[in-house]
Amino acid sequence: MVCSNRAGHDGGMISILSSVLRSRPSMNPYRSRQRIPPQPSHSLYREAPGPCASGERVSTDDGQDLLLRPIRPDDAPALMRAFGRMTPEQVRSRVFHALTELPEPVARWMCDVDPDATIALVLVDADGAEIRGEGRVHLDPATECAEFALAVDPDFTGKGLGRLLVSRLAEASRAAGMREIWGDTQAENNRMLALAKELGFTLRRENDDAGLVRMSLALAPMDGSGEATTT
């Protein structure tokens, strides 16, 4: 499954190549249309890390143990291997282009995130050797919206990892003061669209690209106790 700052949810792994290329024009031969989120003056993630700051033990729907934690600079080799496990269809869904490998400079940049602008999480094996899922949001304090992207190892799709990642990213975005989380995926990415519907996202076709679907979810603001308010 794959979803992008132009991709899907549960489908492979480079959950952010397209985002990185978009925000680093010098690396991007396929420059896409999206804006670069402005950076706030302080680290929202360090101030409001949510449940994943030090790692969270989780289990797949079929009982496999994984660790959910923030991405780290030393994850770059594992991220490259994870990208290599993606099917061609997953790669296309995630980055909207045909790529056979994740360039090492891009992998390093993806793993060394600026916490003022990005929250990035990975699901890794119990021994930490391999990345099985990756997701992130780019925070835009000007619009109070967070653009998300994620991908899941093809051998781990259908096990609840996409749902977990989106839920945690939404929680972290809300804690960071965002009022909406959104992402784009291809219209034929049925797995991603089904998950988005299940989680309450609104879906709409992009006016300038009928092949894309915009997924968006309003986030309830936090009250004084740190809980989401209800209406």
Side-chain angles (χ1 to χ4, degrees):
M1 180 200 273
V2 180
C3 168
S4 173
N5 303 62
R6 307 220 6 147
H9 241 78
D10 248 341
M13 192 42 269
I14 169 173
S15 161
I16 222 120
L17 176 59
S18 59
S19 309
V20 172
L21 295 179
R22 203 173 44 251
S23 58
R24 282 290 178 96
S26 62
M27 289 185 178
N28 186 6
Y30 312 114
R31 178 68 172 165
S32 81
R33 65 177 181 240
Q34 291 181 318
R35 67 187 183 288
I36 301 171
Q39 296 183 2
S41 59
H42 60 285
S43 171
L44 295 170
Y45 187 59
R46 283 193 293 262
E47 292 183 4
C52 304
S54 59
E56 175 185 359
R57 295 289 174 181
V58 300
S59 295
T60 65
D61 288 349
D62 61 354
Q64 293 176 268
D65 292 330
L66 299 173
L67 178 68
L68 176 66
R69 61 165 173 77
I71 203 167
R72 303 188 305 230
D74 61 357
D75 285 325
L79 191 64
M80 294 172 67
R81 292 194 299 273
F83 181 82
R85 292 192 292 272
M86 294 176 69
T87 67
E89 293 76 16
Q90 291 169 339
V91 171
R92 186 171 62 88
S93 292
R94 183 59 191 84
V95 302
F96 294 87
H97 295 286
L99 298 175
T100 58
E101 63 181 16
L102 178 64
E104 182 179 359
V106 176
R108 290 199 307 267
W109 191 89
M110 289 172 59
C111 292
D112 189 15
V113 301
D114 177 0
D116 290 330
T118 302
I119 298 169
L121 305 174
V122 289
L123 283 158
V124 299
D125 289 337
D127 61 5
E130 299 297 334
I131 294 173
R132 302 304 181 182
E134 186 265 353
R136 67 186 64 203
V137 288
H138 292 301
L139 306 171
D140 187 345
T143 63
E144 297 184 330
C145 293
E147 183 190 7
F148 80 98
L150 64 86
V152 174
D153 188 298
D155 289 337
F156 282 72
T157 60
K159 298 183 179 184
L161 302 192
R163 183 184 308 107
L164 175 63
L165 283 168
V166 174
S167 298
R168 291 295 189 268
L169 291 173
E171 291 171 8
S173 298
R174 180 185 293 112
M178 301 294 104
R179 295 183 178 274
E180 179 181 273
I181 183 171
W182 67 275
D184 288 340
T185 193
Q186 292 178 320
E188 65 269 25
N189 192 346
N190 294 324
R191 187 186 291 271
M192 180 64 236
L193 295 174
L195 177 60
K197 288 181 180 179
E198 178 185 333
L199 295 175
F201 280 74
T202 298
L203 309 180
R204 74 173 188 274
R205 292 284 185 127
E206 289 281 67
N207 292 332
D208 58 346
D209 190 339
L212 292 181
V213 176
R214 174 67 50 88
M215 305 166 291
S216 59
L217 177 69
L219 302 174
M222 305 291 286
D223 63 20
S225 67
E227 298 293 330
T229 61
T230 58
T231 56

